[in-house]
């Protein structure tokens, strides 16, 4: 088997990847449909409303951080995921039913986004760390990269499928399909070969939970620099539902299919980045720095793109960079963290990666509404260049101390 796909030789990982791909396609269909519903059906191109939905959906990652990290280290991960996946599937079906019957209002979407975010807050750190149970540390970077490939392959398929469904039979059906897609991941979890899993040492029952994780990170300059870079890009840069949606409807005046095609185009770049990551034998901090710099450049090019096709090309480049950055941060954290602390550290990473959205999304949405979507992309570009500066400073200090 090709070096880039070596983790697929593992039965448990292969089964997990198949179920996750089905679920991820449904997730991207819902994300596309939800943004389109808010932007064009429940408001008149209001980017701030989209930002509010994002804030409510990702805010629980930070709000529930003390409990989600503890759960990832102490609760049976397989059973916890079956509960969270069932909850998210039920919420998707309920939102779909309300949309199809015409009773959905903007405040309903806000409530569902928050509830979905609460379930996802417990699910996300477990899904991140569960990969190590499937393949072990030797193939962990490859498995993480293949997970990203699956997620972004779904990102190519899901928005395109959602665009066709929205244009053909209505927005609500995208939510219904997502609800049904959770059957895939639930079946894969139920059919895993338990005797082939790689068990981890459970976290200590004592201590102060997430506070121990924070103290652990505080003593590690490499992790502090990594999370600082992640904070900048996640807060102000990874708000693409706002960037793509507002550019599509306000600048290029496209319909649902044109909007979904832009999301899929960005995903093409992300898949390329994931496959490149899967081929790497080693994960280095320098890749994080390169990813941040190219991300800033890609967002800057997107901000000044003169036409739809130029904008799509810039999104593809940004997708490669964003995937390189996020995938490298994931692998570096998992490989350099003690197994007993891994769940809490990954929960902290996800709290920063997703939980900072309530800070950045409303700000970026306000900029898009008042100064235009191109200026909002300029904010994203600045976040990439700021993260680049943080990473270069850390590398300079580490090399001078002989620890790089």
């Amino acid at each position: 088997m090709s070096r880039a796909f070596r983790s697929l030789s593992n039965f448990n990982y292969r089964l997990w990847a198949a179920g996750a791909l089905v679920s991820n396609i449904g997730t991207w269909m819902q994300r596309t449909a939800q943004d389109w519903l808010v932007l064009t059906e429940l408001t008149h191109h209001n980017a701030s409303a989209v930002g509010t939905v994002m804030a409510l959906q990702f805010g629980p990652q930070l709000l529930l951080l003390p409990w989600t990290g503890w759960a990832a280290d102490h609760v049976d991960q397989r059973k916890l995921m079956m509960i969270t996946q069932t909850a998210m599937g039920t919420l998707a079906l309920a939102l779909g039913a309300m949309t199809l019957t015409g009773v959905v209002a903007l405040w309903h979407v806000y409530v569902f986004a928050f509830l979905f975010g609460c379930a996802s807050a417990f699910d996300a750190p477990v899904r991140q760390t569960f990969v190590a149970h499937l393949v072990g540390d030797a193939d962990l970077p490859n498995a993480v990269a293949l997970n990203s490939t699956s997620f972004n392959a779904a990102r190519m398929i899901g928005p395109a499928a959602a665009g066709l469904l929205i244009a053909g039979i209505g927005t609500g059906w995208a939510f219904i399909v997502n609800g049904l897609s959770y059957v895939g991941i639930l079946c894969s979890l139920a059919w895993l070969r338990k005797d082939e899993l790689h068990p981890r040492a459970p976290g200590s029952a004592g201590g102060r939970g997430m506070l121990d994780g924070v103290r652990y990170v505080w003593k590690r300059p490499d992790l502090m620099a990594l999370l600082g870079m992640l904070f900048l890009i996640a807060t102000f840069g990874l708000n693409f539902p706002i960037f793509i949606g507002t550019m599509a409807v306000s600048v290029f005046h496209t319909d649902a299919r044109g909007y979904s095609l832009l999301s899929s185009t960005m995903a093409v770049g992300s898949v390329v980045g994931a496959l490149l990551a899967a081929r790497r034998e080693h994960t280095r901090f320098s890749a994080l720095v390169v990813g941040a710099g190219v991300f800033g450049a890609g967002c800057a090019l997107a901000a000044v793109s003169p036409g739809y096709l130029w904008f799509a090309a810039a999104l593809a480049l940004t997708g490669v960079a964003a995937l390189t950055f996020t995938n490298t941060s994931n692998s570096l954290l998992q490989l350099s963290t003690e197994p007993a602390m891994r769940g809490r550290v990954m929960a902290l990473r996800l709290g920063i990666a997703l939980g900072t959205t309530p800070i950045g999304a409303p700000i970026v949405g306000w900029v898009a509404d008042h100064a235009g979507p191109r200026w909002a992309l300029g904010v994203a570009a600045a976040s990439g260049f700021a993260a680049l500066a943080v990473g270069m400073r850390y590398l300079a200090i580490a090399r001078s101390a002989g620890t790089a």
Side-chain angles (χ1 to χ4, degrees), residues 112-254:
F112 273 97
F114 180 75
L115 294 176
F116 195 92
C118 290
S120 180
F122 282 94
D123 182 79
V126 178
R127 288 189 70 168
Q128 296 283 329
T129 58
F130 190 67
V131 177
H133 291 250
L134 299 173
V135 300
D137 285 346
D139 287 329
L140 181 59
N142 177 255
V144 169
L146 289 181
N147 271 7
S148 297
T149 304
S150 169
F151 185 75
N152 288 288
R155 192 176 179 180
M156 288 190 293
I157 301 169
L164 293 174
L165 276 178
I166 293 168
I169 56 178
T171 307
W173 286 105
F175 302 132
I176 298 296
V177 172
N178 179 45
L180 297 175
S181 75
Y182 284 96
V183 174
I185 195 73
L186 288 170
C187 287
S188 70
L189 287 168
W191 296 339
L192 289 174
R193 295 174 181 172
K194 298 179 184 177
D195 58 329
E196 295 181 12
L197 294 174
H198 298 257
R200 297 278 150 185
S204 170
R208 281 168 283 187
M210 186 51 64
L211 183 59
D212 291 337
V214 172
R215 288 182 172 179
Y216 177 82
V217 170
W218 186 261
K219 297 176 182 177
R220 294 276 305 273
D222 56 333
L223 300 187
M224 287 293 293
L226 185 156
L227 293 176
M229 296 170 69
L230 184 63
F231 171 81
L232 289 166
I233 288 181
T235 304
F236 302 106
L238 299 181
N239 294 293
F240 284 98
I242 296 174
F243 302 142
I244 295 176
T246 53
M247 288 289 287
V249 300
S250 300
V251 178
F252 303 122
H253 308 291
T254 65

Side-chain angles (χ1 to χ4, degrees), residues 63-150:
L63 182 66
L64 300 176
L65 190 58
W67 298 278
T68 58
W70 183 91
D73 278 332
H74 294 83
V75 178
D76 184 303
Q77 294 190 335
R78 179 173 157 273
K79 292 180 180 178
L80 180 57
M81 278 192 290
M82 295 186 80
I83 293 171
T84 56
Q85 295 289 310
T86 300
M88 288 188 285
T90 302
L91 289 169
L93 291 173
L95 180 57
M98 292 182 68
T99 304
L100 288 174
T101 54
V103 301
V104 70
L106 184 60
W107 73 268
H108 293 138
V109 180
Y110 288 163
V111 172
F112 273 97
F114 180 75
L115 294 176
F116 195 92
C118 290
S120 180
F122 282 94
D123 182 79
V126 178
R127 288 189 70 168
Q128 296 283 329
T129 58
F130 190 67
V131 177
H133 291 250
L134 299 173
V135 300
D137 285 346
D139 287 329
L140 181 59
N142 177 255
V144 169
L146 289 181
N147 271 7
S148 297
T149 304
S150 169

